[in-house]
Amino acid sequence: MAATAAANLQARGLAAGFGFLARPSGFDIAQTLVPYGPTDSHARVFLVGALNTLLVAVLGVVLATVFGVAAGVARGSSSLALRGAATVYVEAARNTPLPIQLLIWYSLVTAAPPPRAALALPGGAWLTNRGLHLPTIVWSWPTPWVLAAFTACALVGVGGAWLLGRRRRVEGHGPSPWLAVAVAAGAMAVAWTAAHGRPEPPRLEGFGFTGGATVSPPLVSLVLALTVYTGGYIAEVVRGGLEAVPRGQWEAARALGLRNGAVLGRVVLPQALRIIAPPLVSQYLNLLKNSSLAVVVGYPDLVATFGGTSLNQTGQAIETLGLVLAFYLVVCLGLSAGVNAWSRRQARWADAR
């Protein structure tokens, strides 16, 4: 295979190697999270495409988890209407092709009214055929410093809550984990005040919206399709994990006087997480890999930009597709290793208890 590839490259006058990464790309990209222009290199194209792919993956994982957990819990509800609605959603999401769902969502988003007849959404957002217009926050501090301060506060809150919760589980007493959350929230409020954060809603001016942030129709439709499709599979994973917990655990918790929400959140769901975690990470990996269908609606992800336009311009098919495969491999293995490590830690803690 290597000899054949080398002979074919030589016959076509193509030099193998990654020197093309330093050459100017010569094309523009509609949506970027970092500054980019046609004079930037193909290495910059790889960075832009990778960030766009990770953006879709993060948004999809968060929203699909919310949809999936809600639908999975609803499928075990005592309410016939709620259980029936969840069943219809799960069966429809799991038994229709993802590309068809993607095209349907894209058609619905692009069929939205023009800016002058925009649909008002909760939170000051607007939906038009040009995309989703969201409010943003304007800071007097540089944005990276604000993000760093908020990230530090969030890490302190999560770490403190975990430590206090572990102490209460081991010793049986101690401060509530919510104390750390309250301290972190207070620190975030102080950082917000110091940075003079103020909301900037989108405003209709002329033939379009100004201010705020605009999410393009391809990104909106892609995230919605991945959320709905993967959420149906996550719902089945959650339902199976909840049903695997012995019914005696439910009955014992109710005998202690706990309400249904407390029974689910404090007794059943923590036990089901050990069962849910392995198949759940598989659904996350599927979502990440399915995001490569972004080319169907014209979203500039890594496959469409670096694995598509850059490949066509440079002719370095082996190198470009190899880098794309390496990116997905590294991200998927990293995510899988993280979730598996967490699952093993939960199993050791449960066995020790």
Side-chain angles (χ1 to χ4, degrees):
M1 291 176 62
T4 302
N8 289 335
L9 289 174
Q10 184 177 4
R12 289 167 175 77
L14 297 176
F18 295 94
F20 72 97
L21 292 174
R23 297 203 299 264
S25 62
F27 63 91
D28 202 0
I29 299 178
Q31 177 176 327
T32 64
L33 297 178
V34 294
Y36 170 81
T39 58
D40 288 327
S41 64
H42 288 284
R44 190 74 171 180
V45 174
F46 180 87
L47 175 63
V48 170
L51 291 178
N52 286 346
T53 298
L54 291 176
L55 174 64
V56 172
V58 171
L59 293 176
V61 163
V62 173
L63 295 177
T65 302
V66 174
F67 270 67
V69 171
V73 173
R75 292 205 67 183
S77 173
S78 58
S79 170
L80 180 61
L82 187 60
R83 188 169 65 251
T87 301
V88 169
Y89 157 66
V90 170
E91 296 302 329
R94 295 174 66 240
N95 293 286
T96 53
L98 177 57
I100 302 301
Q101 294 187 31
L102 181 57
L103 291 175
I104 291 175
W105 282 111
Y106 183 72
S107 300
L108 292 175
V109 172
T110 54
R116 289 186 176 274
L119 297 176
L121 301 178
W126 299 86
L127 179 63
T128 70
N129 55 5
R130 299 182 184 179
L132 181 63
H133 307 276
L134 302 172
T136 56
I137 300 175
V138 179
W139 307 97
S140 59
W141 285 4
T143 303
W145 288 104
V146 176
L147 294 177
F150 274 41
T151 302
C153 293
L155 292 176
V156 169
V158 172
W162 180 79
L163 291 175
L164 292 178
R166 182 181 181 184
R167 178 182 176 184
R168 293 192 72 175
R169 290 193 299 267
V170 174
E171 300 180 3
H173 61 84
S176 171
W178 289 105
L179 177 62
V181 177
V183 172
M188 285 186 177
V190 172
W192 176 287
T193 303
H196 302 292
R198 60 180 179 84
E200 183 185 27
R203 303 178 303 276
L204 179 61
E205 293 184 1
F207 296 98
F209 280 86
T210 60
T214 300
V215 184
S216 64
L219 177 57
V220 174
S221 57
L222 180 60
V223 171
L224 286 175
L226 292 175
T227 296
V228 173
Y229 181 78
T230 311
Y233 286 92
I234 293 178
E236 285 296 277
V237 171
V238 172
R239 183 181 67 88
L242 295 178
E243 291 183 352
V245 177
R247 298 302 302 178
Q249 297 291 317
W250 296 79
E251 297 168 359
R254 292 193 181 101
L256 294 175
L258 296 178
R259 297 181 180 272
N260 289 335
V263 172
L264 180 65
R266 298 189 177 186
V267 178
V268 178
L269 193 56
Q271 299 182 61
L273 282 176
R274 293 181 58 183
I275 305 171
I276 293 173
L280 185 62
V281 69
S282 297
Q283 298 306 322
Y284 289 161
L285 299 181
N286 288 336
L287 187 149
L288 174 62
K289 290 178 286 189
N290 287 336
S291 67
S292 60
L293 292 173
V295 68
V296 174
V297 293
Y299 177 73
D301 73 327
L302 183 62
V303 175
T305 54
F306 190 76
T309 309
S310 290
L311 186 154
N312 291 331
Q313 288 196 357
T314 62
Q316 308 288 151
I318 297 177
E319 292 83 352
T320 53
L321 295 182
L323 289 175
V324 171
L325 289 176
F327 168 81
Y328 280 101
L329 185 63
V330 170
V331 175
C332 290
L333 289 180
L335 178 60
S336 179
V339 175
N340 289 334
W342 175 85
S343 180
R344 288 193 298 269
R345 184 180 181 86
Q346 290 294 109
R348 288 197 300 267
W349 176 83
D351 295 339
R353 293 289 293 174

